[in-house]
Amino acid sequence: MSYQMTHLEVAYRLLDKYKWIEARPDFLLGSIAPDAVHFHEEYHRNLKEQSHLWDCGPRWGITLDSDKWKRNVLDFWNMHKTDSNGDYISGYCVHILTDWLNDIKIWSPFRNENMQDEDVDAIYHIYGQEAYRGDQWLFHESNNSEKIMSLLAESREYSIENCVLKKDVETQKKHILSEQYKNNGDYDIGSHRYCTETVITSFIDECVEILTDILVV
């Protein structure tokens, strides 16, 4: 699925569309919070399924009912959007909807093309190598990175029951602000086959366009 800078870039651009967002830093942190489960002491992919409101196939990475996944997210958003941390919740749902779109437009076509007799984890490793470098490329190339990180530093962390723990979000946030993008080395993606510059930028543009009309207050 999408990596962190894609999620942050989509969420940042949506701030111009979602005029109803008041806690802009919290919205941005929410847009990466579902992946905070990776910082849990005993990570298992079941945690990913829970945090992403996903119960739509045999295991994470093989979605058989995309419409159900979308309904799960919208039901969750409608239930919690007026909570005291509603802007954080909205960012949280933007993250999952971005992954929902990634699954439809990028990951599932890639998996179907390459899986054959391979294990889905082995296939994801191939995709993940390009996605990671694409994430680094986006951070260094985006004109919004500095503003995104500044807002992220001001954000407030929250637990979401049965989804993510505040302490894992705190660890994730610290890692992104101080570690994840500190490498100024080679992040050229010119040789990429799947996560190309065109694929990344076009996907972000499409996400912003589609999600503008999905979360409406």
Side-chain angles (χ1 to χ4, degrees):
M1 303 300 176
S2 295
Y3 274 47
Q4 300 310 306
M5 192 58 201
T6 295
H7 285 294
L8 288 165
E9 183 76 19
V10 169
Y12 182 79
R13 295 190 194 181
L14 282 171
L15 286 172
D16 287 336
K17 311 292 185 180
Y18 294 171
K19 301 299 185 182
W20 39 271
I21 294 294
E22 296 180 356
R24 293 161 65 92
D26 296 355
F27 177 77
L28 283 183
L29 182 59
S31 78
I32 57 172
D35 284 342
V37 293
H38 286 289
F39 293 87
H40 194 68
E41 291 179 3
E42 297 181 3
Y43 171 76
H44 187 273
R45 69 169 179 261
N46 288 348
L47 294 175
K48 187 93 165 186
E49 295 172 4
Q50 287 180 256
S51 73
H52 285 66
L53 309 175
W54 185 94
D55 57 353
C56 309
R59 55 152 291 177
W60 176 254
I62 305 178
T63 300
L64 301 181
D65 192 342
S66 293
D67 290 339
K68 184 178 190 298
W69 192 9
K70 179 183 177 183
R71 289 196 304 272
N72 288 351
V73 181
L74 294 182
D75 287 347
F76 180 85
W77 183 65
N78 283 316
M79 185 180 300
H80 295 288
K81 64 185 179 183
T82 58
D83 290 358
S84 59
N85 62 340
D87 290 339
Y88 177 83
I89 293 289
S90 294
Y92 194 95
C93 291
V94 162
H95 174 109
I96 304 174
L97 289 169
T98 300
D99 278 349
W100 165 71
L101 286 168
N102 179 284
D103 182 80
I104 293 170
K105 297 181 177 296
I106 298 177
W107 166 244
S108 284
F110 170 83
R111 189 193 75 230
N112 293 333
E113 177 186 345
N114 292 278
M115 192 167 176
Q116 300 175 2
D117 295 328
E118 296 285 344
D119 179 80
V120 66
D121 291 322
I123 292 300
Y124 188 80
H125 179 69
I126 298 171
Y127 169 82
Q129 288 181 313
E130 287 201 4
Y132 172 78
R133 288 176 64 84
D135 188 64
Q136 294 288 320
W137 170 84
L138 180 60
F139 175 81
H140 290 287
E141 292 296 321
S142 172
N143 294 326
N144 298 322
S145 295
E146 185 175 346
K147 290 171 283 189
I148 287 171
M149 294 300 149
S150 179
L151 284 169
L152 201 61
E154 300 173 7
S155 62
R156 295 169 292 182
E157 307 88 356
Y158 298 94
S159 291
I160 299 178
E161 187 175 4
N162 298 321
C163 291
V164 291
L165 296 176
K166 178 180 178 180
K167 67 183 184 71
D168 293 337
V169 178
E170 290 171 343
T171 304
Q172 176 198 38
K173 173 181 166 181
K174 180 178 179 181
H175 178 80
I176 287 177
L177 288 173
S178 62
E179 297 290 333
Q180 188 154 327
Y181 300 109
K182 70 177 184 180
N183 179 17
N184 290 317
D186 179 23
Y187 52 87
D188 177 68
I189 61 173
S191 63
H192 279 193
R193 180 180 175 186
Y194 304 106
C195 295
T196 65
E197 178 179 344
T198 299
V199 168
I200 293 169
T201 55
S202 296
F203 177 70
I204 291 171
D205 290 342
E206 190 170 11
C207 281
V208 172
E209 181 180 357
I210 291 173
L211 297 185
T212 295
D213 297 323
I214 289 182
L215 297 188
V216 179
V217 296

